[in-house]
Amino acid sequence: MAKLINLKINGKPVSVPEGTMVVDAAKKAGIDIPVFCYHPKMEPVAMCRQCLVEIGRPVIDRATGQPVLEENGQPKLQFGPKLETSCSTPVSEGMVVITDSEKARAGQREILELLLTSHPLDCPVCDKGGECPLQNLTMKFGPKESRFLYDEKHHAEKHFPLGDLIFLDRERCIQCARCVRFQSDIAGEPVLGFSQRGRHTEIVTYSDPGFDSVFSGNTTDICPVGALTTADFRFGARPWELKSSASICSQCPVGCNVTFNVRREVKAGGGYVIKRAMPRQNEQVNEIWMCDKGRFAGYQYTEADSRLKLDSPELDQALSQAAVKLAESASQAVFLAGGRLSNEDFYTLKQFATRLGAKAYLYTRHGGGEYTTRYGLAPGSNLGNLGKGDTVLVVASDLYHEAPLWYLRLKAAAKRGATLIVANARATKLDEFATFVIRYSYGDEVETVKSLSSKEKVGEAIKNTHHLVIFYGADGLGLTGTTALAQACADLFTSLPVSQTAPKANNGLIGVWSTPNQQGALEMGFAPCADLAAELKDKTVYILAADPAGDDPTLAEALKGAKAVIAQDILETETTRLANIVLPAAAYTEREGTFTSGERRVQRFYPAVPARPGTKADFALIAELAKRCGIDLEGRSALLVMNQIVANEPAFSGITYAKLAEVTEQWPIIGRSDLFYGGTGYENKQGLGVTLSLTPGVSPQGRDKQATLLSPSPAAKEMRGEGLRPKEDELLAVPITKLYDNGTTVAPAKLLAAHIARFDGVFVNPATAKKYGLENGSQARVSLNGVTYSASVLLDESISTGVVLIPRSFGIPLAEPAFVLLTALEPAQEA
Amino acid sequence: MAYLLLRHRDIPGLENIEIYKQNGGFRALEKAVTTLQPKQVVEEVKASGLRGRGGAGFPTGVKWSFLPDTIWPHYVVCNADESEPGTFKDREIMEGNPYQFLEGVALACYAVGAAEGYIYIRGEYYPIAKQIEACIAEMEKQGYLGDSLFGTQTSIRLKVHLGAGAYICGEETALLESLEGKRGQPRLRPPFPAVVGLYGKPTVINNVETLTNLPFIVEHGAAAFREFGTEKSPGVKIFSLSGNVERPGNYELPLGTPFRELIFTHGGGIPNGRKLRAIMPAGASSSIIRVDDSNFDRVMDTPMDYESVPSLGSMLGSASVIVIDDAHPIDWVIKKTIDFFQHESCGKCTPCRDGNYWMKHLTTRIHAGKAIAADVKLLDNVAAQVYGKCLCALGDFSTMAVRSAIERFPEDFEKVTGNS
């Protein structure tokens, strides 16, 4: 704990830790000092000069080292001749700060006046109008009228696309460099900078394509003026027309807290429409940030044209038909659910399966859940607390693409001094910030993890760490591989002294899942099926929030061989198209529920808009089906389902909706009245969530796996170990995940089309491409298991020559590493 | 009096290393490296009272002693970004007496324990940079730079870095940024360069003229140096004289020489029978000294040193004395200075960036006669509003001429605004 420093701000005594800047000390005391360039998440630069205050310091007698006293016994103060920038001045003992004297106010007013001379004052047509720090601070601290001649304004470009997602208005920019510094210091993607100088200073992008960052949207939140706006929201609505609704991003397992802004629109028949997604503060999860996938694809799919719907009688009929088929099949029924479902949905489905005697599987190729539920993060964990003396291992995961906020948090942890070990067969973005980078060959993942402890420096970092957090992914791995990897990672924990492995905060194993609630399903005992195609044959299959047919033609074939297929989803998919019965579900933006993040944090999401007519929440549809099968399940509300989860699922004991909605004070203070300080991100009034406890009294090693619904998976077919060495002419194809995939919930995001297209293809080393007569962008044939797919060739120098990377979801169904043949597609004959 | 700095004026061919050697070249460096401890060099320079010739006049030896002994390496950076309008002294030193200058840089390196020194030369001095690079190569060849100097363990290497044409890079922290390959913009202080400087390491930054004084001080001692100049401003100074004088140019004179001697004796007085009306003693960054019948003698007899010039409401700075006669309206003079500052403002901080843009519009309109009296008041107001709020000193400098002109030459502004 840092030493406390006592000072007075506007006469108010304040005690803050040593090193605190005056501006933050004031904020903590409830005193607003206007700022533009300062942001509490970034180092001060004191460029805008807005935060000027008077600062007096006690005069110290050089001889005695004691403060000199006035006649009245008070310490004698010395004020500097100039005002000081409170953002860059650390507090000191006995300091007296005056923010509201005539001199200080004049300084603040004068800087504001200078800023406004260069500002176009086009507030009436500016997207930021209504939530603009410059506007708000002008009202509070600024001059009442302009002395600057409007005709002498500097003019600059007003609609400059920095990239396809972010537009820059160069007239509105006040050169605070918050965006530049966010990109370089926080995101680690220094793609913005200044060009020119003086009044001609302007923001430029250095990257090609422009503003090439997955965190770009955050710059619009912290831009203190309307200079940076998002392509989806600009000219879309005025901030004061918007209502807000708390939610959780559903694009990855991080569980970023978000706010959806909605307004009623004529085009929606007077109904509510989501206008934008904004980060909502949760310092333990996403702080005040979110990634561009969450922002630009997080809710857009829920409004896609391909939404499923049935009118009331149709739905009734569909439910009855489905119930008949399921009741008939009973134990011959197979349930298959994707990790997009909420905890409430999974629980209801589990009850239904148990009572019906059906098998229920989690639809995923990412195994190891039996370890993450035992060795996962314990309550009190916060990646933001990792630092010196702590070790983080990331293995077989490209966090930048798979869970951008985890990348951001680990990058920051490394900066705070944590030892970051990144092990992967290929280079990933996180390598740049890693303490140790370990490169292995595909297939050697488990061996690599097993050998870590015996490595000199890495082994020490693991053995001597205060806290150990391990992230494992599915980069180049299928179900068997991930499961084995999870086990190897878990063994690392068990090999440590007991003091390290007992459930304690900031310690544990995290699966980098591809869905928002895989962890929740795992905690309830769901597990994946190893040989799904075989399992589906002649069964009545009930598929929820998953598209096996779209993912893999083999599974599509298998589904054709099923007795009946009932598909429940929110969007039309290959699977719903071949299903016998389709049940339209409400999107998660239209209902209530909870997700369990990869960090095992249960968080609530709330309805942002009403459910579309003809759709229902998944748990309600499941309960409805069960009812028609003669099984009585809770389907009235998510809250009532949660009450049952709490009673029946040990991991969830003690969790209530009320508890999930609790908030505690967070730093920095952000929110509507503090826009100028932290940005337009939302304060969290709706709950920080609760981390699941690891079963009390049982150490992770001894903790029994919870009863699962399933017998162990059938024997795996996956190639392992020495099998992964390519033969002549063969390439090892490995599945990887890119941020912008072509999945059901991402593809409808129109703004991201070009970003998704960048990953539509197969990645090879330029040397490999040359060997096969291929160039960047040329079409190739990929022969996998006797089936040939065509794909664009994309070059990547960082991957080894014997390998072809196949991004998941782009049409080549590579469930696990396999050998493929790559051939050039002959150019089409000229007609 | 023999020249101390502009010795090439006495000794033809001094830019040739052999001639420099024949005239005592590198004796100081050899003496320091072979017989003095670095601390002794620092003490000698402290005792000499040498003050920084770049403008601030800070005691050089004291500045050196701020470098912490616990953080290494140390760097010496020479500020050769001579950009102040009216200043052209460093150029003559580097062109005419380059080896004395480089010997000075090497002495500074030795004094603070820096194995590497950087010479940051303004981009427009490209030919000089080439020349200095050639001189460094010659010194390395002859063993005056490089490893094992004079058979000792001492290594000193110098590198030249060329600026890209920005006034701001004469500001020491902006210079460091530029030297590191970044945008030339000032850093937030503290920390100061003496502690966190080039590449985050303790760094001494000295002006060309300052460093060129070192060989004399080391060779002849502080007392010899103190024979020139005044008690508080010892030594000689190169005064860059320009403007409305018969003989503009560099004049090396003891500090404390009165204005009269520089302008009239050496400079030959005001041409065309015009009257001296104003002096900017520190280039465009100066408050303008008004000269009229009421104070002519007082100004002319004022010694040009760091302590005396402030009594005239200005400062000595880099001693670039711009002389203005009565044919030049002062509103034109400040328009010129603001044009310069507006063009050169780096744009990092609000008051300088936006204030100079505003002042440029006002001075342009005022000079064009398209202004009213309120605009002059506003100009004064804007300048006052910029002053004291900027990130670096250069922002404050931009207001000096404006504020002093409006205060001291009211009639020039009444004329152009028609007293409306």
Side-chain angles (χ1 to χ4, degrees):
Chain A
M1 193 65 195
K3 188 177 143 199
L4 282 182
I5 301 288
N6 303 295
L7 68 158
K8 274 188 182 166
I9 307 178
N10 295 352
K12 194 172 174 177
V14 182
S15 292
V16 290
E18 193 171 19
T20 304
M21 295 298 166
V22 168
V23 67
D24 289 338
K27 190 77 199 166
K28 282 178 176 159
I31 296 164
D32 282 350
I33 299 173
V35 295
F36 289 111
C37 70
Y38 181 71
H39 188 283
K41 287 277 181 191
M42 295 188 274
E43 294 292 316
V45 286
M47 289 162 63
C48 77
R49 318 301 289 174
Q50 183 58 58
C51 62
L52 296 170
V53 295
E54 284 193 78
I55 294 181
R57 295 171 177 86
V59 179
I60 304 293
D61 186 317
R62 288 202 181 182
T64 63
Q66 293 301 308
V68 179
L69 300 182
E70 298 273 17
E71 277 174 20
N72 62 9
Q74 291 295 310
K76 187 176 176 184
L77 293 170
Q78 184 164 19
F79 283 83
K82 293 179 179 180
L83 296 170
E84 297 185 45
T85 47
S86 55
C87 76
S88 62
T89 308
V91 295
S92 62
E93 192 63 36
M95 181 184 264
V96 168
V97 178
I98 305 169
T99 77
D100 58 357
S101 62
E102 187 33 52
K103 187 178 175 188
R105 291 300 288 256
Q108 295 156 10
R109 186 173 59 243
E110 286 165 6
I111 294 292
L112 256 166
E113 182 184 31
L114 287 165
L115 278 173
L116 291 169
T117 61
S118 68
H119 196 74
L121 305 176
D122 56 349
C123 311
V125 294
C126 177
D127 289 291
K128 204 80 171 191
E131 55 176 16
C132 173
L134 182 59
Q135 221 174 29
N136 294 357
L137 293 179
T138 299
M139 301 300 278
K140 199 168 169 186
F141 298 95
K144 291 187 190 69
E145 55 193 48
S146 178
R147 298 186 293 171
F148 186 84
L149 288 190
Y150 196 82
D151 287 346
E152 292 177 351
K153 288 248 179 232
H154 172 80
H155 290 292
E157 209 162 351
K158 288 196 73 69
H159 305 284
F160 182 80
L162 277 175
D164 56 354
L165 300 175
I166 308 293
F167 279 80
L168 168 65
D169 184 316
R170 287 189 161 133
E171 282 188 2
R172 292 178 189 157
C173 176
I174 58 168
Q175 288 83 27
C176 71
R178 272 185 178 183
C179 55
V180 175
R181 289 178 286 132
F182 171 83
Q183 285 303 133
S184 57
D185 301 352
I186 295 184
E189 299 184 294
V191 297
L192 296 185
F194 281 124
S195 179
Q196 307 300 320
R197 70 181 181 213
R199 193 70 278 281
H200 297 285
T201 306
E202 58 183 25
I203 298 288
V204 292
T205 176
Y206 299 135
S207 62
D208 182 18
F211 208 164
D212 193 9
S213 164
V214 304
F215 299 104
S216 67
N218 296 298
T219 61
T220 67
D221 298 336
I222 58 172
C223 178
V225 293
L228 294 174
T229 48
T230 60
D232 74 333
F233 183 68
R234 65 197 303 259
F235 308 129
R238 309 314 307 265
W240 56 85
E241 302 166 344
L242 302 172
K243 290 191 181 343
S244 56
S245 169
S247 196
I248 301 298
C249 181
S250 65
Q251 289 294 345
C252 84
V254 173
C256 289
N257 292 207
V258 299
T259 291
F260 291 130
N261 279 138
V262 301
R263 77 166 181 183
R264 295 180 61 194
E265 292 194 344
V266 171
K267 73 175 183 201
Y272 281 101
V273 177
I274 299 177
K275 300 304 292 180
R276 64 176 178 181
M278 299 287 274
R280 186 167 52 107
Q281 186 177 29
N282 190 336
E283 291 299 320
Q284 296 167 88
V285 180
N286 55 307
E287 303 178 25
I288 57 172
W289 317 118
M290 67 188 294
C291 76
D292 287 352
K293 187 185 193 184
R295 195 181 295 260
F296 300 114
Y299 67 89
Q300 287 76 354
Y301 70 91
T302 68
E303 299 174 343
D305 294 338
S306 55
R307 277 294 294 271
L308 298 170
K309 62 176 177 210
L310 291 176
D311 62 27
S312 196
E314 285 170 341
L315 178 60
D316 186 60
Q317 199 188 357
L319 283 166
S320 296
Q321 286 171 351
V324 169
K325 298 223 182 264
L326 287 171
E328 264 174 23
S329 301
S331 67
Q332 289 302 297
V334 171
F335 294 0
L336 194 57
R340 233 195 302 137
L341 294 183
S342 75
N343 291 318
E344 294 74 6
D345 305 331
F346 275 116
Y347 177 79
T348 311
L349 189 68
K350 178 180 167 180
Q351 296 305 312
F352 186 24
T354 309
R355 304 268 290 272
L356 190 66
K359 284 181 180 172
Y361 293 106
L362 178 64
Y363 180 71
T364 180
R365 304 296 298 177
H366 195 165
E370 57 270 47
Y371 300 101
T372 64
T373 50
R374 276 190 286 168
Y375 298 93
L377 286 188
S381 294
N382 180 353
L383 298 178
N385 290 341
L386 295 176
K388 223 173 168 58
D390 299 327
T391 298
V392 184
L393 168 65
V394 179
V395 56
S397 177
D398 184 356
L399 281 182
Y400 174 81
H401 278 281
E402 295 170 37
L405 256 294
W406 279 342
Y407 152 86
L408 210 67
R409 304 262 286 167
L410 295 192
K411 172 187 173 291
K415 198 175 171 189
R416 286 190 300 268
T419 302
L420 176 61
I421 305 165
V422 179
N424 202 311
R426 63 190 176 97
T428 64
K429 173 83 178 154
L430 197 57
D431 292 358
E432 219 178 292
F433 311 101
T435 325
F436 301 106
V437 174
I438 295 168
R439 218 35 100 239
Y440 53 74
S441 297
Y442 283 107
D444 293 344
E445 292 83 0
V446 170
E447 286 311 310
T448 303
V449 170
K450 279 183 177 166
S451 68
L452 286 179
S453 300
S454 56
K455 285 188 195 287
E456 196 182 340
K457 285 178 182 165
V458 171
E460 268 170 36
I462 290 172
K463 277 178 233 160
N464 301 333
T465 183
H466 296 136
H467 300 104
L468 176 62
V469 179
I470 303 179
F471 290 82
Y472 81 99
D475 199 271
L477 293 169
L479 187 53
T480 318
T482 46
T483 307
L485 179 60
Q487 183 174 6
C489 292
D491 287 346
L492 266 185
F493 284 102
T494 51
S495 71
L496 294 174
V498 176
S499 62
Q500 298 283 47
T501 53
K504 69 169 186 179
N506 301 324
N507 231 31
L509 178 64
I510 298 175
V512 187
W513 319 123
S514 60
T515 49
N517 198 34
Q518 174 156 345
Q519 189 64 31
L522 297 166
E523 298 286 348
M524 287 185 226
F526 279 86
C529 174
D531 192 355
L532 200 50
E535 187 72 9
L536 299 177
K537 198 168 165 56
D538 294 327
K539 304 279 171 52
T540 298
V541 191
Y542 178 24
I543 303 171
L544 304 90
D547 180 21
D551 292 341
D552 189 344
T554 327
L555 292 177
E557 278 310 306
L559 284 173
K560 283 174 192 160
K563 198 169 160 196
V565 176
I566 304 157
Q568 178 172 314
D569 210 327
I570 69 161
L571 295 171
E572 197 178 308
T573 64
E574 286 302 320
T575 306
T576 64
R577 274 192 281 274
L578 64 73
N580 306 82
I581 301 161
V582 173
L583 300 175
Y588 91 108
T589 52
E590 301 161 354
R591 48 162 291 200
E592 200 169 7
T594 58
F595 289 141
T596 306
S597 77
E599 294 173 64
R600 305 182 72 249
R601 178 175 292 268
V602 181
Q603 303 188 102
R604 282 179 75 173
F605 57 83
Y606 299 79
V609 292
R612 295 207 171 189
T615 67
K616 277 187 180 175
D618 286 286
F619 71 87
L621 287 172
I622 298 163
E624 191 79 28
L625 264 183
K627 192 173 160 191
R628 291 171 199 230
C629 294
I631 298 166
D632 192 23
L633 295 179
E634 182 57 76
R636 287 171 294 168
S637 81
L639 179 143
L640 294 171
V641 178
M642 180 51 91
N643 288 348
Q644 292 196 356
I645 297 176
V646 173
N648 299 320
E649 292 291 342
F652 287 78
S653 67
I655 286 178
T656 63
Y657 264 26
K659 219 169 175 181
L660 295 175
E662 280 174 13
V663 286
T664 52
E665 203 174 291
Q666 301 193 82
W667 178 263
I669 297 163
I670 71 159
R672 296 300 97 183
S673 57
D674 302 287
L675 285 171
F676 76 97
Y677 192 63
T680 47
Y682 276 79
E683 66 269 53
N684 197 325
K685 293 178 175 169
Q686 300 86 1
L688 301 176
V690 175
T691 302
L692 295 175
S693 53
L694 291 161
T695 311
V698 184
S699 74
Q701 299 102 305
R703 190 166 164 250
D704 284 332
K705 193 179 164 218
Q706 287 163 28
T708 55
L709 298 168
L710 296 168
S711 53
S713 311
K717 294 190 302 184
E718 196 168 322
M719 292 178 295
R720 303 291 324 142
E722 71 278 8
L724 297 193
R725 298 290 180 269
K727 292 169 203 139
E728 208 179 340
D729 282 349
E730 279 187 336
L731 287 170
L732 177 66
V734 293
I736 60 158
T737 299
K738 290 288 188 185
L739 182 66
Y740 299 118
D741 59 56
N742 199 30
T744 309
T745 65
V746 188
K750 294 191 184 92
L751 259 183
L752 294 177
H755 295 256
I756 296 169
R758 281 166 76 185
F759 302 125
D760 186 357
V762 296
F763 289 87
V764 292
N765 186 290
T768 312
K770 205 175 167 192
K771 187 177 156 193
Y772 290 91
L774 297 163
E775 291 169 0
N776 196 37
S778 64
Q779 291 293 305
R781 263 197 285 257
V782 182
S783 303
L784 168 69
N785 299 331
V787 187
T788 300
Y789 304 87
S790 68
S792 300
V793 170
L794 304 165
L795 301 186
D796 183 347
E797 284 176 7
S798 72
I799 56 180
S800 52
T801 48
V803 170
V804 49
L805 304 184
I806 304 205
R808 295 182 170 97
S809 83
F810 284 99
I812 302 179
L814 186 68
E816 54 258 317
F819 294 120
V820 295
L821 287 169
L822 194 63
T823 46
L825 196 69
E826 301 217 295
Q829 294 285 317
E830 293 290 325
Chain B
M1 187 186 93
Y3 283 105
L4 250 62
L5 304 170
L6 304 176
R7 286 171 66 215
H8 55 283
R9 292 186 178 185
D10 288 334
I11 308 165
L14 193 61
E15 73 280 7
N16 179 309
I17 195 165
E18 298 306 329
I19 300 199
Y20 182 65
K21 276 156 66 184
Q22 286 159 24
N23 288 276
F26 306 118
R27 252 189 248 153
L29 184 62
E30 182 169 7
K31 176 184 172 186
V33 172
T34 57
T35 68
L36 298 173
Q37 290 298 311
K39 279 224 159 61
Q40 291 174 291
V41 180
V42 175
E43 288 311 314
E44 198 63 38
V45 172
K46 260 191 195 170
S48 76
L50 173 66
R51 297 172 64 166
R53 302 297 195 231
F58 194 84
T60 305
V62 177
K63 193 176 190 176
W64 291 358
S65 61
F66 290 153
L67 268 68
D69 269 343
T70 47
I71 312 169
W72 296 91
H74 291 175
Y75 290 109
V76 167
V77 174
C78 170
N79 186 345
D81 190 65
E82 184 171 55
S83 310
E84 184 66 36
T87 310
F88 38 84
K89 62 190 178 64
D90 296 341
R91 173 182 183 158
E92 185 176 347
I93 293 173
M94 290 189 287
E95 281 176 339
N97 193 6
Y99 289 107
Q100 184 175 335
F101 156 59
L102 291 171
E103 187 178 357
V105 182
L107 281 167
C109 288
Y110 181 71
V112 300
E116 283 184 50
Y118 292 87
I119 301 162
Y120 186 98
I121 302 183
R122 67 177 294 188
E124 293 85 342
Y125 285 180
Y126 176 78
I128 299 175
K130 289 284 120 190
Q131 183 195 349
I132 295 292
E133 273 182 344
C135 292
I136 291 172
E138 194 57 44
M139 282 172 72
E140 281 174 353
K141 212 164 100 187
Q142 302 206 12
Y144 298 114
L145 285 175
D147 294 330
S148 312
L149 293 184
F150 307 104
T152 68
Q153 300 276 303
T154 305
S155 296
I156 297 171
R157 291 179 190 282
L158 302 184
K159 293 191 183 79
V160 170
H161 184 96
L162 208 57
Y167 175 66
I168 188 64
C169 291
E171 197 282 336
E172 60 180 19
T173 59
L175 185 154
L176 293 179
E177 288 284 291
S178 173
L179 191 51
E180 289 180 8
K182 301 172 190 158
R183 252 174 98 72
Q185 291 194 326
R187 292 177 182 173
L188 180 60
R189 273 172 294 201
F192 291 92
V195 182
V196 182
L198 185 64
Y199 305 118
K201 299 296 177 187
T203 301
V204 151
I205 305 166
N206 285 137
N207 170 261
V208 173
E209 185 186 349
T210 312
L211 293 165
T212 308
N213 275 294
L214 297 176
F216 181 89
I217 295 170
V218 172
E219 192 184 349
H220 303 287
F225 182 76
R226 280 185 170 278
E227 281 173 22
F228 308 99
T230 70
E231 170 64 24
K232 287 184 173 170
S233 301
V236 295
K237 178 85 191 77
I238 301 175
F239 294 88
S240 295
L241 182 66
S242 67
N244 305 126
V245 285
E246 285 288 358
R247 290 190 296 275
N250 285 323
Y251 295 94
E252 181 182 316
L253 302 167
L255 280 160
T257 302
F259 278 103
R260 193 191 306 269
E261 186 185 330
L262 175 69
I263 296 171
F264 288 93
T265 311
H266 299 291
I270 317 298
N272 308 324
R274 286 283 177 180
K275 272 177 80 173
L276 172 58
R277 181 129 188 275
I279 302 170
M280 298 179 81
S285 298
S286 319
S287 286
I288 307 176
I289 299 169
R290 180 183 176 118
V291 186
D292 57 26
D293 293 345
S294 73
N295 72 350
F296 183 83
D297 286 333
R298 183 165 85 88
V299 174
M300 288 303 107
D301 294 336
T302 301
M304 293 185 291
D305 58 44
Y306 296 106
E307 289 73 40
S308 309
V309 182
S311 71
L312 299 175
S314 192
M315 57 179 187
L316 182 65
S318 58
S320 13
V321 179
I322 302 174
V323 176
I324 300 160
D325 69 15
D326 59 353
H328 291 88
I330 301 300
D331 62 287
W332 173 82
V333 173
I334 63 163
K335 181 193 169 299
K336 292 280 282 181
T337 63
I338 288 298
D339 280 357
F340 172 77
F341 282 109
Q342 197 274 332
H343 184 260
E344 293 294 343
S345 170
C346 82
K348 186 168 180 178
C349 77
T350 306
C352 177
R353 178 184 68 237
D354 288 334
N356 274 293
Y357 180 78
W358 196 353
M359 287 195 283
K360 178 177 169 149
H361 277 291
L362 288 166
T363 52
T364 303
R365 272 200 287 118
I366 289 168
H367 180 63
K370 292 178 182 168
I372 57 172
D375 287 328
V376 177
K377 247 183 228 150
L378 179 59
L379 174 63
D380 187 45
N381 233 264
V382 173
Q385 180 159 334
V386 168
Y387 181 80
K389 299 194 183 70
C390 300
L391 183 65
C392 79
L394 274 51
D396 285 354
F397 291 165
S398 71
T399 68
M400 298 295 181
V402 172
R403 297 212 67 198
S404 55
I406 294 172
E407 184 198 326
R408 299 170 189 172
F409 301 89
E411 66 272 28
D412 291 49
F413 294 93
E414 277 161 24
K415 206 163 53 199
V416 287
T417 58
N419 212 5
S420 54

